[in-house]
Amino acid sequence: MNSLYRLTLVLALSIASQVVNAATLISNQDFESASLPTGEGWGFGAQGGGAVSIATEASLNHNGSKGSIKGSYPLATGGVYVWGGYNIAALKLSDVYIEFWAKMPKATQGIKFLKIFGVRGASDYANTTFALVSDAGIQGSITQVSFGDGTHTTNDTQNVINLDGAYPSWIGRSYGKASVLTPQKSRWPGSNWGTSWHRFKVHVKFNSGTTAANEVADGEYYLEIDNVVYVDAKGLFNRHYSNGPIEKISFFDWAQNGTSPFELWFDDIRISTGGFLSDNPMPPVDPRLTNE
């Protein structure tokens, strides 16, 4: 083996190793135990006529697995019927990657779907929402990523990235500086749900800084559905400098006004920091989790 080839191989292996080790596992929940997970940060529940359960019929689960989690909703009138959340407050992270499979086989309706909650203070927090809309004719569609640009201490849905690329200034105070790509120039339509499982990859990064003087517009959002990228945004303000880090990742959540009962299923939920687990086949476990 000549020296140039050896050097090239060493560099290639070094780069590959860095890529593999980029992601750090936080939670990998496949529901194979056929029971609702307890402890380790997970919490599930329902109210107002809703129900959350483990589906054990393999033919209905993703890849014929032993279990997936199902939220059953009555006719929605705006109340919280089902919740499922993973609390990561102890890790003090501002950057998470979330992968999962989901399906809505019974009827497409509006629901919060996926929320990333920031640590809540007395009057300040930063949240991000990837919602399924309840608008007539497009129920169950994903049209926006909603957040707040940190102008005020409460940041939730004041600003948005539209998947169709419309109204780019709605991202707020980082408009004209951020890189916001919406490659499909269209919403993800509710008609895509059908009865099949769909793969979601989501990245949320809160922008950094702890004072008005040192805050940096380095927030990020990424949304990929069924291997198609809908949002890839960098250089955002998406929190106030006084807001805390991420507290909880919430699935299901609030149901919006709807027209019929519906179900929402999740399976193979993977949560990590530093990269997507599917891009990193052998990620290490976050050491802070082993010390709980």
Side-chain angles (χ1 to χ4, degrees):
M1 182 183 293
N2 63 52
S3 58
L4 178 59
Y5 180 82
R6 184 183 296 108
L7 176 60
T8 302
L9 180 59
V10 168
L11 288 173
L13 290 173
S14 175
I15 293 170
S17 176
Q18 292 176 27
V19 171
V20 167
N21 292 324
T24 301
L25 173 64
I26 297 175
S27 181
N28 185 2
Q29 184 55 250
D30 58 14
F31 308 106
E32 292 294 279
S33 67
S35 60
L36 288 174
T38 58
E40 298 182 358
W42 283 102
F44 295 91
Q47 66 182 46
V52 59
S53 61
I54 295 294
T56 58
E57 187 175 340
S59 63
L60 299 178
N61 294 332
H62 176 241
N63 279 343
S65 67
K66 296 178 182 178
S68 61
I69 191 163
K70 178 177 69 172
S72 301
Y73 288 73
L75 180 63
T77 57
V80 177
Y81 297 116
V82 177
W83 62 86
Y86 186 70
N87 193 302
I88 61 170
L91 302 184
K92 302 184 185 305
L93 293 174
S94 295
D95 190 9
V96 293
Y97 292 76
I98 309 159
E99 301 172 73
F100 57 90
W101 290 80
K103 71 175 180 176
M104 185 178 273
K106 191 172 182 180
T108 55
Q109 297 288 288
I111 186 175
K112 294 302 183 183
F113 187 58
L114 176 68
K115 282 185 70 72
I116 291 79
F117 287 96
V119 171
R120 194 179 188 99
S123 61
D124 63 272
Y125 58 88
N127 297 338
T128 294
T129 304
F130 297 81
L132 309 182
V133 300
S134 58
D135 299 1
I138 58 170
Q139 289 101 330
S141 301
I142 300 178
T143 62
Q144 300 173 327
V145 180
S146 60
F147 57 100
D149 72 352
T151 299
H152 306 288
T153 58
T154 301
N155 296 276
D156 199 341
T157 58
Q158 301 97 321
N159 302 95
V160 301
I161 296 172
N162 288 307
L163 271 60
D164 64 3
Y167 306 105
S169 64
W170 287 6
I171 65 171
R173 63 189 177 118
S174 49
Y175 174 63
K177 302 174 184 178
S179 170
V180 180
L181 305 179
T182 52
Q184 307 313 311
K185 299 300 179 187
S186 69
R187 65 177 180 268
W188 189 78
S191 58
N192 278 0
W193 281 109
T195 58
S196 302
W197 286 93
H198 299 273
R199 185 190 188 202
F200 291 80
K201 296 175 70 174
V202 174
H203 173 216
V204 172
K205 178 186 178 185
F206 285 171
N207 72 272
S208 56
T210 56
T211 69
N214 69 16
E215 66 173 350
V216 179
D218 57 357
E220 299 183 15
Y221 292 120
Y222 180 86
L223 173 63
E224 179 183 314
I225 308 172
D226 294 332
N227 302 311
V228 176
V229 178
Y230 283 83
V231 173
D232 188 0
K234 296 179 175 66
L236 294 167
F237 281 116
N238 57 3
R239 62 181 284 276
H240 189 267
Y241 58 80
S242 66
N243 294 153
I246 296 168
E247 178 179 42
K248 182 174 65 174
I249 299 161
S250 179
F251 302 89
F252 300 112
D253 217 85
W254 287 80
Q256 302 170 25
N257 293 333
T259 57
S260 65
F262 67 96
E263 295 174 351
L264 183 59
W265 301 49
F266 289 97
D267 205 352
D268 294 330
I269 297 173
R270 298 179 176 184
I271 301 170
S272 59
T273 189
F276 289 112
L277 295 184
S278 58
D279 299 334
N280 299 265
M282 297 182 65
V285 175
D286 191 306
R288 288 168 291 188
L289 293 172
T290 63
N291 295 326
E292 291 183 349

